[in-house]
Amino acid sequence: MTAPNNISMEELVSLCKRRGFIFPASEIYGGLNGFWDYGPLGTELKNNIRDAWWHDMVRCPPMGPDGEPVSIVGLDSSIIQNPRVWEASGHVGGFNDPMVDCRETKSRYRADHLLCLGVKGDDQAQIYAFVENDDESLASARKRLEKYIKRKLDDEELDVCPFTSLSTDRIAATVGPGVKTAGTLTEPRQFNLMFKTFVGALQDEESAAYLRPETAQGIFLNFNNVVDTMRVKVPFGIAQVGKAFRNEVTPRNFIFRSREFEQMEIEWFCHEDDAARWFDFWCDTRRQWWESMGLTSDKVQMRRHDADELAHYAKEGCGTFDVEYRFPFTSPDYGELEGVAHRGNFDLTRHQEFSKKKLEYFDQQRNERYAPHVIEPSAGLSRGTLAILCEAFTPDEERASKVFMKFQPRVAPIKAAVFPLVNKDGMPEVAAKLHQDLRRRWPVQFDAKQSIGKRYARMDEAGCPWCFTVDSDSLNDQSVTIRDRDTLSQDRIGIDKVEGWLAERLT
Ligand code: GAP
């Protein structure tokens, strides 16, 4: 798995574990597929991305296309809601993925993630299923196909087709991933992705409830509450960041597709006539935001959903755009980072219907009562964290660490480090004082262990932009060196200037 900038996911995952960004959940019990824990640096990084989004979208959003300031308010709704919510939203009936089971290995695959490898022009031969974007699975399918036809195959002789295009007869002639004989894969079957639980002491259907599969519904449920309490006027938005849960059949690619993840969602309420203009605005705004967070523009693209990909709520004719990023494991293709959907007034009218409560807005200017239309920029915080980790990962053979994390200072989990060059001659005391002063304002680390080279290497892997070192000259001239993570340049600065110097770059 090699990315355009030669980063390997294995090396990134290993760095994330080694430096305390991300650990497998319940690791001491062998882990749990699809669940991850964020370590000390990962938590800071993710919180910084979340805070940047909240600042840039909720507190200080860009001006709207009408030249008026955009108005967005925040919300933090429950993860578990009345189960009727998910009937109204369409998730009980429609939040399904077609799944394929292997009767032999008991593995379950998303049908649209399976591809089949065969020999061009030979419709009778066995074909071999493999998992999309999984080089190992593809290599194994090819090896078994070559064994079956008893010769090596050139690339041009190979034929790849989606599993979803197969007839029942061809499914019977398909050999599943990691299996030797054909016919162990089932036809695709629907499978609901919501996690079910029970509320209260009794565990029966009456007490069944669901962990939310998206944060969005909590926003629609509180539409009246926000309108009644906040003096908001259409157009306006409600934003929410929080956990969502999906019982994904094939969680994979590190935190890209997990079963517990975080979303940053905005529901933008507007009049139907203005929806197209706001849709364009949000597509542009959200793409630009990801680029402002350091994702290079050649790795970011907007892609319109094909008709067969549209979610049940997407408004006919308007569709959905994804902001996509070229992740190492999708390269040269792209993977979804955020969806911007025109949901029409599907959600408000469905909740009206199911709850029998009016969810409408009286527009004084138009003298009209209506259920507003909704544009929804729905971003993955976990996926965004992964994209930023991938982007920051910079191999550099010249450095002791061989790699450094080139985070923007805004998202860097540690903003600066303070070191005494050696642990004597008064240097630790001066460094400790500087550290105490700086940590009041930012996450700043003090490190006096091991050689200075090893300490720089540690900070390079943590993505810390600047290191301040107290050396023997510091005691005479009251100055320290600043080492820049990216250029490796070393300058001197007065100790009393350090805080202002950092503030200029971090505020
Ligand atoms: N409310 C709309 C909605 O939830 P979605 O496209 O299903 O739309 C929005 O999800 C974003 O949530 C995705 O673009 C992705 O970044 C993130 N996401 C969805 N499923 C995920 C998963 N299993 N693991 C990590 N992130 C996920």
Side-chain angles (χ1 to χ4, degrees), residues 15-26:
L15 182 143
C16 283
K17 170 102 168 47
R18 192 167 68 246
R19 282 292 164 248
F21 283 96
I22 297 168
F23 308 123
S26 345

Side-chain angles (χ1 to χ4, degrees), residues 214 246 248 256 258 261 263 265 336-338 376 378 380:
E214 60 173 15
R246 295 183 191 176
E248 297 283 2
F256 179 80
S258 47
F261 55 96
Q263 293 184 313
E265 299 201 292
E336 178 184 339
L337 191 56
E338 168 161 354
E376 176 196 64
S378 169

